[in-house]
DNA sequence: TAGTTTGGTTCATTATATGAATCGTGGGTT
DNA sequence: AACCCACGATTCATATAATGAACCAAACTA
């Protein structure tokens, strides 16, 4: 693990429940020495990736991130293109829909549209999804080599110690099923009571870049609903992939068996 | 300069004219050895801040940036709040308007709204603004200690070797004038033919966080226009600062003399 | 006012970053 | 089709930077 990796790992500590973190907490949560943490934080401060609340001196994500996001969106308008697709899928299914993208060794939610139902699943944008315990993660894994998939699952299991360890075969079976059906299903794993259906989005070079997922209360989830939601999810991912420049044939081939299994 | 600083400095090489960069170019532009550059790039790859075009193997800004941007926007909705203010200012003035935020030692454009005029100034979001050669930079400097201002100007001059060096007194005088008037004006510095009028935005703790600026063709710029645009810019920055939670009195005091000088 | 927590600093120790030389390969040219 | 060149990527001895236990000052708490 390089020095830069350590410094950048501080960024992963911020979340919607923890948007501002002091030096001591930063040090405790990251496991680094306080002096080391300070130096890392200062490097991130200099680059603008973090900034410091002038009152509390606590750290928060910096404005440079917004600039970089604009820059990226200008050249590769992932957000802009995915937003309407997410909304359309939310409209059709009436459930919470989120679009997540792979970033390095993690899968992070980029867009989330919460349903208006009484029992609603709230997905905060910016949420990191474990590879082995979400429909999105499992769907994505089905498009990777088993070697890389195993590496990611290992990382994911290690960084989510609170989750029940998956049976040796669960992940393998889920991936196998997903690669046959073109979508993955996952219920009561990351959180009890939540079920998800997800399928993979490809970019213009045919590489998997993210997932579209529908999340709903598992109490309201059954085989009939699975069937109908999966159809819409697969359709939406195909649509989004094509809008991102992927070839329709390729996308169809990757998600080949469709929902008719 | 720490290792992390070096690695993160690679991010600053990306721009709207250069959205994808290969290893060799990355190495040349950063001045690091190719092997070193590769290791830095790989660290950024692991964190998701960069990603690699699977076809060309060139590097581009990664999807993690979008996730972090959402996270930040959720806790401190700078973009969301500033967007309508930028648009209102663009509407009133009929000129190009941009909102830029300080990030570490740089000033970067977060939102840009291009005018619909025949002679239009196009500001790309993500553009880095030199402190010493833009209205935004000079306005912001007028709210910093002279020690910090000098440090930033030095950095800025060093990283924009193509710009004409400012006279010893130009920056000092411009800052002095800006601190009296509450807005800064800068014409034909960063680019010949472009004039700008900018004023500073404050956050809820009273610290300066960015600037609103109007950019127009310097050929269409005169003292009368300066007066009318400055009034609108100052009004817009006050409005935005208050929407961000700044106290009206404080903001007014900081921009005290208003436009009536 | 005494105690406790927080952000921040120091310096000897140790681990990591660095870059010249090198390799393999895919794209472009003749 | 054969060539070359430029590019991405790797190696390993060397040099440089990261590390953390102890320490300090200031702000908050009781």
């Amino acid at each position: 693990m390089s020095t830069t990796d350590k410094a950048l790992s501080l960024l992963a500590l911020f979340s919607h429940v923890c948007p501002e973190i002091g030096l001591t907490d930063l040090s405790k949560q990251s496991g680094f020495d306080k002096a080391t943490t300070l130096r890392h934080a200062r490097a991130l401060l200099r680059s603008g990736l973090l900034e410091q609340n002038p009152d509390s001196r606590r750290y928060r994500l910096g404005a440079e991130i917004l600039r970089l996001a604009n820059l990226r969106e200008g050249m590769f308008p992932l957000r802009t293109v995915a937003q309407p697709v997410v909304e359309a899928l939310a409209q059709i299914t009436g459930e919470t829909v989120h679009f997540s993208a792979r970033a390095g060794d993690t899968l992070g939610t980029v867009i989330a549209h919460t349903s208006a139902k009484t029992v609603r699943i709230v997905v905060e944008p910016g949420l990191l999804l474990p590879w082995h315990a979400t429909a999105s993660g499992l769907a994505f894994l089905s498009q990777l080599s088993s070697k890389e998939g195993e590496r990611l699952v290992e990382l994911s299991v290690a960084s989510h110690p609170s989750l029940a360890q998956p049976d040796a075969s669960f992940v393998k079976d889920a991936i196998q099923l997903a690669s046959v059906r073109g979508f993955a299903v996952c219920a009561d794993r990351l959180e009890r009571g939540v079920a998800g259906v997800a399928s993979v989005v490809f970019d213009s070079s045919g590489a998997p870049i993210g997932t579209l997922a529908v999340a709903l209360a598992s109490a309201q989830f059954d085989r009939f609903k699975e069937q109908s939601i999966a159809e819409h999810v697969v359709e939406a991912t195909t649509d989004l992939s094509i809008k991102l420049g992927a070839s329709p044939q390729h996308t169809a081939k990757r998600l080949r068996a469709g929902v008719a299994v």
Side-chain angles (χ1 to χ4, degrees), chain A:
Chain A
M1 195 188 216
S2 78
T3 308
T4 306
D5 287 315
K6 293 177 202 166
L8 291 177
S9 73
L10 294 183
L11 293 179
L13 300 178
F14 294 86
S15 68
H16 72 280
V17 288
C18 233
E20 279 198 2
I21 311 181
L23 177 61
T24 305
D25 279 349
L26 219 48
S27 162
K28 278 180 193 160
Q29 289 180 43
S30 66
F32 303 135
D33 183 88
K34 219 169 31 159
T36 302
T37 307
L38 179 64
R39 276 186 296 262
H40 289 332
R42 286 238 254 256
L44 297 175
L45 233 46
R46 280 191 294 274
S47 74
L49 258 35
L50 287 185
E51 60 190 28
Q52 213 168 4
N53 184 321
D55 294 332
S56 66
R57 290 202 201 160
R58 285 188 304 197
Y59 299 90
R60 62 175 182 225
L61 297 174
E64 173 73 354
I65 290 170
L66 299 183
R67 189 184 72 87
L68 294 173
N70 281 330
L71 216 46
R72 193 199 132 104
E73 197 63 13
M75 71 151 282
F76 187 45
L78 189 55
R79 244 195 97 84
T80 313
V81 173
Q83 184 88 47
V85 177
V86 166
E87 272 164 26
L89 184 56
Q91 183 76 37
I92 290 182
T93 59
E95 304 287 352
T96 291
V97 173
H98 58 102
F99 170 63
S100 302
R102 177 183 186 172
D105 292 343
T106 64
L107 186 65
T109 298
V110 171
I111 300 171
H113 188 109
T114 302
S115 81
K117 290 194 143 189
T118 306
V119 181
R120 68 182 71 171
I121 312 299
V122 179
V123 177
E124 300 285 343
L127 183 70
L128 284 175
L129 304 175
W131 297 103
H132 64 286
T134 59
S136 292
L138 294 167
F140 201 96
L141 290 174
S142 75
Q143 297 293 334
L144 298 180
S145 72
S146 60
K147 188 185 156 205
E148 190 175 14
E150 279 160 23
R151 186 177 67 83
L152 292 179
V153 168
E154 207 170 307
L155 284 172
S156 185
V157 168
S159 59
H160 289 82
S162 59
L163 291 179
Q165 301 297 312
D167 337 316
S169 63
F170 168 76
V171 173
K172 223 181 96 189
D173 291 351
I175 291 174
Q176 172 61 23
L177 188 59
S179 72
V180 171
R181 300 206 293 183
F183 66 92
V185 176
C186 188
D188 305 311
R189 288 268 158 185
L190 177 56
E191 191 127 13
R192 284 194 64 81
V194 179
V197 180
S199 182
V200 178
V201 178
F202 301 92
D203 71 3
S204 58
S205 75
I209 55 164
T211 61
L212 278 175
V214 171
L216 67 164
S218 51
Q220 302 183 358
F221 191 59
D222 54 36
R223 288 197 63 78
F224 178 73
K225 214 146 197 177
E226 172 180 315
Q227 173 76 13
S228 97
I229 288 178
E231 277 174 24
H232 290 125
V233 172
V234 170
E235 190 183 350
T237 52
T238 307
D239 176 32
L240 179 52
S241 298
I242 290 168
K243 281 181 176 157
L244 290 171
S247 73
Q249 311 91 296
H250 175 88
T251 305
K253 190 182 157 204
R254 285 289 191 107
L255 303 175
R256 82 191 89 113
V259 295
V261 175

